[in-house]
Amino acid sequence: VAGFVALFALVGYAYGSQSLIGVRAFIPIALHTATCFLVISFAIMAARPRDGMMFLFSSDQAAGYMVRRLLIAAVFIPALLGWARIQGQRAHYYNTELGVALFVVANILVFAVLVWLAGGILYRKEQEVAKAKDEFLSLATHQLQTPLTGVKMFLGILDEGMAGKLTKEQDELIDKALDGTEREYRIVTDLLNVARADSGRMVLEKAPTDLAAMIQSIVEEQTPTILARKQKVTVETQSVTLSLDANRLRMALENLVNNASKYTADGGKLGVYVQQTPHGATVTVQDGGVGIPAEDIKKIFVNFTRLDNELSEERGGTGLGMYLVKKIVELHGGHIEVKSKVGHGTTFTVILPK
């Protein structure tokens, strides 16, 4: 309160307005007293930088950055422009109406420029932070991937009996360890691919690729899992050859087929179709699963997002798969269409250009 009273008094002295210097029934506040009150008020707030208003002002986050630049301007620029307007009026350069209009226009222009400049600086800072985060994530996941590869290799040696015969109980423990290591390896690989995609370092190496053969290979590879769930899969393909990064696109399509099986109940039906079009090709993956509510369809392409349904907890996942699918398809110049009905399944259509 003392700070605001002092600020009013200082503005009153600057503008020559006695009404701001003091209340009629009391002695007006002196200039040096108002200055001291204002300095002391700021000092009291600055003494506790992590409390109250100063917490936001001293924050290292984007909000603190904006407050430090715009709050000071919001306090002093209108006061300075107002003083300039009063001086111009007293010098009879313009009348009151024109003075007010010039004051308003000057404030709008100055603050528009300030907000524009602050927004640009803030954007660059956010880009720097995002780049640092992506580089750290890429480095961390790469460092995790290397030892996991070694663990998988040595567990595989044990599982094959190359280091000696295992008992039934030991064999079961090794199988569980292999499953857990494989899950961790997939998570680390997904994180690494997300870091590459977000940083723009996922470069495609395109070559003529038989899309139908790729789909047949993916389904055959996942057939043991599909059969274990007693699901029936229909595959219909037309011969289509496109210029693609076979490894990247395979990763995306594997994810779609895996999800179709994962979110379809045991005994359900799946469908995978490749069709040639005048402009390229489409790959359609249908499931007879739990379906996705209309309001949640956009959420599935957000990284680290998993929707709650009756199978999500049971079947697991990282929440990165569909984000990567969308990134990879878009890098190929394509896009994905989704149609779903709760309780009746979901259809994903990947549209790829020539």
Side-chain angles (χ1 to χ4, degrees), residues 77 81 97-113:
I77 287 178
L81 291 175
E97 290 78 8
L98 181 58
V100 171
L102 290 173
F103 173 74
V104 171
V105 170
N107 271 284
I108 292 173
L109 290 175
V110 169
F111 278 97
V113 170

Side-chain angles (χ1 to χ4, degrees), residues 232-305:
K232 183 180 290 186
V233 59
T234 301
V235 181
E236 295 180 5
T237 62
Q238 294 179 352
S239 181
V240 184
T241 299
L242 298 177
S243 180
L244 307 167
D245 184 323
N247 291 329
R248 301 290 188 200
L249 189 64
R250 183 184 180 94
M251 183 193 309
L253 297 178
E254 281 177 345
N255 201 290
L256 287 176
V257 175
N258 179 57
N259 279 354
S261 174
K262 183 189 296 184
Y263 294 110
T264 298
D266 291 355
K269 295 181 179 180
L270 317 174
V272 185
Y273 310 94
V274 177
Q275 185 174 6
Q276 188 172 20
T277 68
H279 305 291
T282 62
V283 179
T284 303
V285 180
Q286 294 179 338
D287 66 54
V290 293
I292 306 169
E295 64 273 15
D296 289 339
I297 286 179
K298 288 185 178 179
K299 296 179 185 178
I300 63 176
F301 296 111
V302 178
N303 54 347
F304 299 106
T305 298

Side-chain angles (χ1 to χ4, degrees), residues 18-35:
Q18 292 295 317
S19 299
L20 293 176
I21 296 173
V23 181
R24 184 178 301 175
F26 298 93
I27 300 173
I29 184 170
L31 177 60
H32 63 277
T33 305
T35 304

Side-chain angles (χ1 to χ4, degrees), residues 211-223 250 254:
L211 196 55
M214 179 187 291
I215 285 295
Q216 292 284 357
S217 174
I218 290 171
V219 173
E220 287 174 7
E221 187 178 273
Q222 298 195 26
T223 294
R250 183 184 180 94
E254 281 177 345

Side-chain angles (χ1 to χ4, degrees), residues 129-199:
V129 171
K131 182 180 178 181
K133 180 200 73 174
D134 291 338
E135 288 176 351
F136 170 77
L137 187 59
S138 179
L139 178 63
T141 50
H142 181 73
Q143 294 300 319
L144 285 170
Q145 197 175 45
T146 303
L148 275 174
T149 302
V151 171
K152 281 180 62 180
M153 181 183 71
F154 288 120
L155 285 173
I157 290 172
L158 291 174
D159 192 48
E160 294 294 328
M162 297 171 66
K165 189 175 181 180
L166 301 175
T167 65
K168 183 179 179 181
E169 184 177 336
Q170 289 171 332
D171 191 48
E172 290 175 354
L173 290 173
I174 292 294
D175 286 342
K176 289 179 181 179
L178 273 171
D179 289 342
T181 305
E182 185 61 38
R183 283 195 299 273
E184 293 302 318
Y185 189 83
R186 283 198 300 270
I187 292 172
V188 170
T189 301
D190 283 349
L191 286 170
L192 184 59
N193 286 323
V194 165
R196 286 172 177 163
D198 286 343
S199 62

Side-chain angles (χ1 to χ4, degrees), residues 119-134:
I121 296 170
L122 185 61
Y123 174 76
R124 288 192 291 274
K125 285 180 70 70
E126 288 179 342
Q127 291 296 102
E128 290 172 4
V129 171
K131 182 180 178 181
K133 180 200 73 174
D134 291 338

Side-chain angles (χ1 to χ4, degrees), residues 316-335:
T318 63
L320 294 170
M322 293 306 301
Y323 176 77
L324 276 172
V325 169
K326 186 172 184 287
K327 282 280 187 181
I328 291 169
V329 171
E330 288 177 348
L331 282 171
H332 281 84
H335 64 278

